Amino acid sequence: MKYRERFDRRVVREDVWIPTQDGRTRLHARVWRPADAEASPVPALLEYLPYRKSDWTAPRDAQRHPWYAGHGYASVRVDIRGHGDSEGTPGDEYDAQELADGVDVVNWLAVQPWCTGKVGMFGISWGGFNSLQIAALAPEPLKAVVTVCSTDDRYDNDVHYTGGAVLGIDMLAWAGTMLAFASRPPDPANVGADRWLPMWRERLAALEPFLHTWLDHQQRDAYWRHGSVCEDYGAVDAAVLAVGGWNDPYRDTVLRLVEHLPGDRVRGLIGPWSHQYPDRGLPPGPVIGFLQETLRWWDQHLKDQDTGIMDEPLLRAWLTESVPPATSYDVLPGRWVAERHWPSPTVTWDERVLAQDPTPVLVRSPQHTGLDSGRFFPFGNASDLPPDQREEDGRSVCFDTAPLTERVEILGRPRLRLRLDSTTPRAHVIVRLCDVAPDGSSTLVTRGVLNLLSRHGRDRSVEWRPGTYETVEFELNGTGYAFPPGHRVRVAVSDAYWPWVWPHGERGALSVVPADSAVLLPVRETTDGQPIRFEDPEQAPPLPVTYDRPADPRPERLVTHDVATGEWRLEVDPNYGGSRTYPDGLRYEESASETYTIRSDDPLSASAVSTWTIRLRRGEDHGTAWDAEIVTRTELRATRADFIMDSRIEARSNGETVAKRQWHRTTPRTSG
């Protein structure tokens, strides 16, 4: 990593308040810009998040915002209403108020004396989401967007549902995380020693767990269509650079955006990365000079300079070579490939029947199938990726090709067509595509889920008629992967996948007719054009943050099995960074855990719990002493008829209780 300490233009930083149109609420912003920008105005770049610029994202912000400023931009980091140091109360994800405030910020930036009037937005995950969503609202100054690890489909490609099925692992975990995050107080160093506590009380009083809302909407309805850019790609007028990673759950958005947005306003980039910016050096690599690549995008669309970025292929994607299974790779082997069009004429469908035997095969997986699924959101940690899939394969029904006689490269979203029957009106089917080496090891390549209730559309729930065979077809997640000669392609079919997929309330079985079922592989020609190259990564100097290194760290993922009861237990430490101390004296302590339990024979035994403890404190030697702590717990379980949710918060200041809140909620299982 190269750290750039000197730039052509000297950089200054200032904190400002940005008014919103309601006239009552101001958003807190941090602006890095050239010192001479009022004399020589520059375009503005906006990153707009709920994750607290003063502490949680501060190390990441320091890598990129000053760097952009040094290259002739005003780079602006804004806390969303009710989060961090901004005024107001927190709302739902991407609600109308958040997006309206974002439009206000874009328009405010455009009229500042240091701005040329042109604005870009960028962000990863939440910031990538709202960049796209605000672009679809088309504020006039917003000319370009860089959206990283984001989605255009809030229902079927987010943390709530997949294939119409409840995402047990992140429906609960992310709801628990956001309950804790939304409970954090503003920093008195930024909002004032006399204001932070009243602001905090107001936030805590307004909180409602996201989990309640998400499970109230189990089909694709107006709630999910709001903010889903896929509803109307034509609404996006800004130029969009869409970036993703094959090890991130949002990579399919890149493929959809390059297919549906006008080719003169979009480019796609998919690397081997996890849920991280591609310049941060977190596994899996290779790392690239991502800031330099985005600078080409900004200069092209905000400064009207021909940087050659629009001469790049429509889609640049990493094609991964076959690898032995592992939960982390420093660098994945492979190469960059280019596609001038998407869908690509170099990619054709190779349809392979699962087996010639017309005899139905019974699929009845134990409920703990899926414990080796890996993390839904890989963050570059040691236990992120799925381990050897042989145990999962043993809990599934597998269909293998003969050993391949030649190399097979796939790029895109494989499809499964299954002829099947279900013994119960409600069921799931899960398919994993694996690379089986001659030694028998099984590497997960990609996977897909279908809730059979949603087989006729995600906006409706249609029960199965047991005893009736139907043909269903669905996509797996996108991938770029090369199967070498001598390896086999495995299609593994199960009807359970815990904790990714919350099980239906009764245990049944599927009957699959192999001769009438097939996998459709998007096979790519192996010819390549000009080599694709990126610069080495470069950033601004890192923020001097001190991280704790516990002497006895707990496991990131621990699976235990009670043989007597048949209960399986998965304990997860999400490891978002732990505890740390900032240069301004702020001590930020964070501890989280997720626990998922299920008995192998009972879908109603499923339970998921998320707990968080966060403490923020600063000593008198750094100004006014400050000590605030939040403890949260969120639990989800279900009967055959209902989901049951229990959540609670306790907030303390200097050891004294500021607020206690508790919720108990049930909601009918309409599709989940």
Side-chain angles (χ1 to χ4, degrees), residues 55-56 184 579-580 582 587-590 614-616:
D55 43 66
W56 211 69
R184 295 177 294 187
S579 299
R580 63 213 87 155
Y582 291 86
R587 172 73 177 163
Y588 183 101
E589 298 171 0
E590 179 180 277
I614 299 174
R615 187 180 181 190
L616 302 99

Side-chain angles (χ1 to χ4, degrees), residues 559-573:
V559 177
T560 56
H561 178 210
D562 187 327
V563 177
T565 65
E567 182 179 87
W568 292 81
R569 182 182 183 91
L570 171 63
E571 298 175 60
V572 176
D573 179 353

Side-chain angles (χ1 to χ4, degrees), residues 27 48-50 78-84 86-87 98 126 130:
L27 306 182
Y48 177 53
L49 291 170
V78 177
D79 286 336
I80 285 172
R81 176 188 296 248
H83 294 272
S86 287
E87 297 173 346
E98 174 187 329
W126 194 306
N130 63 27

Side-chain angles (χ1 to χ4, degrees), residues 120 432 582-583 605 636 654:
R432 290 175 295 110
Y582 291 86
S605 64
L636 178 62
N654 297 314

Side-chain angles (χ1 to χ4, degrees), residues 253-266:
T253 293
V254 178
L255 300 178
R256 290 191 293 266
L257 290 174
V258 296
E259 178 178 356
H260 293 289
L261 293 180
D264 61 348
R265 295 206 305 272
V266 67

Side-chain angles (χ1 to χ4, degrees), residues 391-405:
E391 289 189 34
E392 296 281 62
D393 295 346
R395 297 187 277 259
S396 309
V397 173
C398 296
F399 303 94
D400 291 2
T401 66
L404 299 175
T405 58

Side-chain angles (χ1 to χ4, degrees), residues 252-335:
D252 296 337
T253 293
V254 178
L255 300 178
R256 290 191 293 266
L257 290 174
V258 296
E259 178 178 356
H260 293 289
L261 293 180
D264 61 348
R265 295 206 305 272
V266 67
R267 290 295 180 270
L269 175 63
I270 309 179
W273 310 302
S274 62
H275 195 70
Q276 294 285 356
Y277 279 122
D279 58 313
R280 300 197 69 199
L282 296 166
V287 66
I288 66 169
F290 182 63
L291 289 178
Q292 299 98 301
E293 196 66 13
T294 61
L295 186 65
R296 295 174 67 203
W297 190 257
W298 303 130
D299 286 350
Q300 177 84 34
H301 298 289
L302 301 181
K303 293 185 176 178
D304 299 322
Q305 298 176 7
D306 186 359
T307 65
I309 191 74
M310 299 311 292
D311 298 326
E312 300 289 354
L314 183 68
L315 175 66
R316 290 171 288 173
W318 184 259
L319 197 74
T320 302
E321 294 293 326
S322 175
V323 286
T327 59
S328 181
Y329 306 88
D330 288 337
V331 175
L332 279 167
R335 74 185 194 282

